[in-house]
Amino acid sequence: HPIRGVTIRYTLDGTAPDSLLATVYDPQKPPIVSANTTVKARVFKEGWYGSEVALFDFYKSTHKPDSLRVLTPLSRVHQGLGKASFFDGILGGFNANSPAWANHWMGVRENDIARIIFFKRPIKVRAVGVRSLTEPETGIFPPAELEVWGGTHEQSLRLLGKVRPQQPTSIAKPYMQYWESGFKEAEVSVLKIVVKPLKEIPAWHGAKGRPALLLVDEVFIN
């Protein structure tokens, strides 16, 4: 921290750090996390008001595919950094329609995002998740559904799991969120991941009935 003599306190349970009970950050003994974790931190100094909360999200990513095949196209604007963008470890930020951020998001409106990914050696998988941006004011909504298919061969895939994320019910501040489909552990050599956009924006929105824009920046396989 640029101000000397401050104390950094943090939490790992989602609560806001206070000046008395939250754990003091020790750079010689940093916390170790082994699962998806949100770190919230605040800075305190005697005689000063506490700082705003700083938030850091950490995502576990166990497996990276050896190759992948694109089944459906992305939007012209939101192409990411190439076909492997879902597994490059680069996360997007806010202002998705700004050129400075657009390259970190993969987007669709009229069709699903569908990819088949391959592993040279079988892996054991029990969850697949994606991170998306939601910005209701500009018509960017969470996925309508995430489907995960898997098997030992491309011709024998079965549905492992799916999840339908909760949709916003009013105009709200933009936020990024992780959505995960968990399922019984399976050994697979091939995974098919399908992320579906919301076909119709809800009636409370000014663009009701139109297809929503879906933006995803990373896929996590665990």
Side-chain angles (χ1 to χ4, degrees), residues 53-85:
V53 175
L55 185 148
F56 307 89
D57 289 318
F58 294 85
Y59 302 95
K60 183 177 181 179
S61 183
T62 305
H63 304 289
K64 300 290 185 184
D66 294 301
S67 61
L68 64 86
R69 188 167 76 248
V70 175
L71 299 181
T72 56
L74 297 172
S75 75
R76 181 179 59 82
V77 176
H78 298 288
Q79 291 278 324
L81 298 175
K83 74 174 187 177
S85 291

Side-chain angles (χ1 to χ4, degrees), residues 182-217:
F183 40 82
K184 183 178 179 180
E185 184 177 81
E187 186 171 274
V188 302
S189 298
V190 183
L191 282 174
K192 179 182 177 182
I193 300 170
V194 182
V195 193
K196 302 180 179 182
L198 191 66
K199 291 184 178 180
E200 294 186 359
I201 293 176
W204 56 262
H205 197 280
K208 62 181 180 180
R210 300 178 184 176
L213 176 62
L214 167 64
L215 295 177
V216 176
D217 62 357

Side-chain angles (χ1 to χ4, degrees), residues 79-85 88 90 103-104 106:
Q79 291 278 324
L81 298 175
K83 74 174 187 177
S85 291
D88 62 6
I90 301 175
N103 288 338
H104 299 311
M106 281 65 69

Side-chain angles (χ1 to χ4, degrees), residues 131-152:
R131 200 181 83 131
S132 72
L133 173 66
T134 298
E135 195 174 83
E137 186 173 359
T138 59
I140 304 173
F141 278 72
E145 188 172 80
L146 164 64
E147 289 184 352
V148 182
W149 300 72
T152 55

Side-chain angles (χ1 to χ4, degrees), residues 3-221:
I3 298 176
R4 293 184 179 183
V6 300
T7 299
I8 300 174
R9 291 181 177 266
Y10 68 91
T11 60
L12 304 178
D13 61 1
T15 60
D18 62 15
S19 61
L20 297 176
L21 301 178
T23 304
V24 175
Y25 174 69
D26 181 353
Q28 303 303 318
K29 298 179 181 180
I32 297 174
V33 298
S34 59
N36 292 349
T37 304
T38 295
V39 178
K40 292 185 177 181
R42 292 181 70 195
V43 175
F44 299 95
K45 184 176 174 66
E46 187 175 354
W48 293 54
Y49 289 110
S51 73
E52 296 293 327
V53 175
L55 185 148
F56 307 89
D57 289 318
F58 294 85
Y59 302 95
K60 183 177 181 179
S61 183
T62 305
H63 304 289
K64 300 290 185 184
D66 294 301
S67 61
L68 64 86
R69 188 167 76 248
V70 175
L71 299 181
T72 56
L74 297 172
S75 75
R76 181 179 59 82
V77 176
H78 298 288
Q79 291 278 324
L81 298 175
K83 74 174 187 177
S85 291
F86 290 106
F87 302 98
D88 62 6
I90 301 175
L91 301 180
F94 291 112
N95 300 319
N97 292 313
S98 166
W101 295 108
N103 288 338
H104 299 311
W105 291 102
M106 281 65 69
V108 293
R109 193 187 298 272
E110 303 293 341
N111 57 268
D112 301 341
I113 294 175
R115 302 288 186 270
I116 290 186
I117 60 177
F118 303 91
F119 301 89
K120 293 179 180 179
R121 295 182 179 180
I123 65 166
K124 291 183 179 180
V125 60
R126 62 178 59 185
V128 173
V130 299
R131 200 181 83 131
S132 72
L133 173 66
T134 298
E135 195 174 83
E137 186 173 359
T138 59
I140 304 173
F141 278 72
E145 188 172 80
L146 164 64
E147 289 184 352
V148 182
W149 300 72
T152 55
H153 300 284
E154 185 178 347
Q155 292 75 26
S156 59
L157 301 181
R158 61 185 179 88
L159 182 64
L160 299 178
K162 63 181 177 180
V163 63
R164 295 186 176 93
Q166 183 177 356
Q167 299 295 326
T169 57
S170 63
I171 297 295
K173 292 182 179 180
Y175 61 90
M176 290 169 283
Q177 191 159 350
Y178 174 76
W179 311 100
E180 182 178 83
S181 173
F183 40 82
K184 183 178 179 180
E185 184 177 81
E187 186 171 274
V188 302
S189 298
V190 183
L191 282 174
K192 179 182 177 182
I193 300 170
V194 182
V195 193
K196 302 180 179 182
L198 191 66
K199 291 184 178 180
E200 294 186 359
I201 293 176
W204 56 262
H205 197 280
K208 62 181 180 180
R210 300 178 184 176
L213 176 62
L214 167 64
L215 295 177
V216 176
D217 62 357
E218 194 78 5
V219 175
F220 305 89
I221 303 173

